């Protein structure tokens, strides 16, 4: 995603952005449904093995986009697969794709910060690929994912690496502070489709702490080098260079018990040591 920074703070409606960009985006990148992906030119779930065997499991994809990962989970034997996304156009694409692939997947329009349509402890696996970099309230989103997972449920999320926020117009030259909080730019796709986009950049420490806050145990942090394949349509400099990672992936697991139970246990343990 080429970045051209704006000179002043502007409001960005990401639902409107994706409603405008979904069709040309899906037509250009043609994301496959035969593997569970974490982003452009990085290892897939087949290689990373972060979520375990999905057969017979209930799976939620947060920020499902065009539905490719959700369909891939169903193909691999997941019992129930649900995708949620902010964009009407992306959901329409996902539903059409699932029908085409004869995959029984449910798709809903909604936000990552509000998963209220889903009951507590209703999924075994959750995944979010390149969504939460564009969500303002990361902490709330992670609390919601934690809530809907069953005890010991697994969660994997990939985001723009915070290093990406340091780059300029070309996506590879460092021009800005690692500690900037957000940036906006004009996103342009081949064929001329364009929209203004805003992303939120957190440090690795901040993302790690945000996952731990509701109770997740972070099991792995992966900063994969890019491995462009000949058939890959992700040919932007950011996704083909090999000098820094543009993607960061976290693998986490929900603990057993509630946050209140953990707080009580911690207090009791502290008292016992005094």
């Amino acid at each position: 995603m080429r970045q051209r920074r704006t000179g002043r703070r502007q409001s960005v409606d990401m639902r409107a952005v994706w409603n405008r960009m979904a069709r040309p985006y899906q037509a250009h990148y043609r994301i496959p449904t035969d593997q569970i992906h974490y982003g452009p030119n990085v290892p897939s779930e087949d290689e990373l093995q972060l979520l375990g065997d999905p057969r017979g499991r209930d799976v939620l994809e947060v920020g499902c986009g065009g539905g490719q990962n959700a369909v891939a989970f169903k193909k691999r034997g997941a019992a129930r697969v649900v995708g949620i996304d902010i964009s009407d156009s992306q959901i329409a694409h996902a539903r059409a794709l699932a029908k085409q692939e004869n995959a029984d997947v449910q798709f809903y329009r909604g936000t990552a910060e509000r998963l209220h349509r889903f009951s507590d402890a209703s999924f075994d696996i959750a995944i979010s690929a390149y969504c939460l970099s564009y969500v303002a309230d990361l902490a709330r989103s992670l609390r919601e994912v934690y809530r809907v997972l069953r005890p010991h449920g697994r969660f994997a999320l990939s985001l723009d690496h915070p290093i990406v926020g340091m780059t300029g117009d070309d996506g590879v030259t460092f021009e800005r502070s690692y500690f900037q909080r957000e940036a906006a730019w004009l996103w342009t796709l081949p064929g001329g489709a364009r929209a203004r986009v805003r992303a939120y950049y957190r440090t690795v420490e901040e993302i790690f702490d945000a996952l731990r806050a509701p109770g997740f145990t972070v099991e792995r942090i992966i900063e994969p080098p890019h491995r462009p394949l000949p058939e890959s349509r992700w040919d932007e400099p950011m996704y083909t260079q090999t000098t820094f990672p543009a993607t960061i992936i976290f693998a986490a697991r929900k603990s057993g018990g509630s946050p209140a139970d953990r707080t009580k246990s911690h207090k009791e343990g502290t008292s016992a040591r005094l």
Side-chain angles (χ1 to χ4, degrees):
M1 189 180 288
R2 181 175 174 81
Q3 301 182 24
R4 188 163 76 216
R5 305 303 163 120
T6 60
R8 67 185 190 280
R9 185 183 179 90
Q10 298 182 23
S11 175
V12 175
D13 181 346
M14 289 303 294
R15 180 182 178 189
V17 167
W18 275 108
N19 282 344
R20 181 187 311 168
M21 301 293 278
R23 182 171 293 183
Y25 174 89
Q26 297 294 346
H28 178 69
Y29 289 111
R30 298 182 188 174
I31 300 169
T33 61
D34 59 351
Q35 62 180 4
I36 298 156
H37 72 274
Y38 288 106
N41 297 335
V42 297
S44 68
E45 172 64 10
D46 286 342
E47 297 175 74
L48 297 178
Q49 295 291 300
L50 304 179
L51 297 170
D53 188 346
R55 287 179 294 182
R57 304 290 186 177
D58 295 332
V59 178
L60 172 66
E61 183 173 17
V62 179
C64 65
Q68 291 87 356
N69 271 345
V71 169
F73 272 108
K74 192 63 182 180
K75 285 182 174 182
R76 293 181 180 221
R80 175 184 177 226
V81 183
V82 178
I84 186 167
D85 196 90
I86 196 172
S87 165
D88 313 80
S89 296
Q90 289 279 65
I91 291 296
H93 183 279
R95 287 172 177 161
L97 179 67
K99 183 176 181 180
Q100 175 184 318
E101 299 275 351
N102 195 29
D104 182 13
V105 181
Q106 299 170 296
F107 292 105
Y108 300 99
R109 198 195 70 77
T111 69
E113 297 100 328
R114 296 191 68 211
L115 303 179
H116 58 284
R117 69 171 62 248
F118 308 123
S119 302
D120 295 0
S122 53
F123 295 96
D124 304 293
I125 293 171
I127 186 172
S128 180
Y130 264 77
C131 163
L132 295 181
S133 294
Y134 304 92
V135 171
D137 196 341
L138 176 65
R140 182 173 179 177
S141 298
L142 296 180
R143 288 196 302 269
E144 280 287 86
V145 173
Y146 190 90
R147 178 183 64 79
V148 302
L149 277 175
R150 295 179 178 126
H152 311 294
R154 294 185 176 188
F155 177 39
L157 70 155
S158 61
L159 311 99
D160 288 316
H161 198 289
I163 288 177
V164 169
M166 300 171 64
T167 62
D169 291 355
D170 60 3
V172 294
T173 303
F174 295 124
E175 297 181 1
R176 292 165 180 84
S177 169
Y178 177 74
F179 301 101
Q180 75 168 328
R181 289 291 178 245
E182 59 188 85
W185 65 92
L186 194 64
W187 176 27
T188 303
L189 285 171
R194 52 196 283 171
R196 194 170 304 281
V197 178
R198 180 175 300 281
Y200 299 90
Y201 295 103
R202 292 100 178 177
T203 66
V204 175
E205 176 185 359
E206 288 170 332
I207 302 167
F208 179 82
D209 285 347
L211 279 162
R212 286 180 46 129
F216 280 114
T217 297
V218 178
E219 297 185 326
R220 292 185 67 187
I221 301 175
I222 303 161
E223 299 173 292
H226 294 107
R227 297 186 305 181
L229 300 172
E231 65 272 19
S232 174
R233 288 176 168 253
W234 300 97
D235 57 2
E236 296 89 337
M238 184 188 304
Y239 302 128
T240 57
Q241 57 75 36
T242 57
T243 57
F244 64 87
T247 301
I248 189 166
I249 305 168
F250 292 81
R253 188 187 293 267
K254 180 173 179 173
S255 62
S258 69
D261 293 335
R262 291 194 307 279
T263 300
K264 180 181 179 183
S265 176
H266 173 73
K267 288 179 179 177
E268 290 174 346
T270 301
S271 298
R273 292 193 297 270
L274 294 177

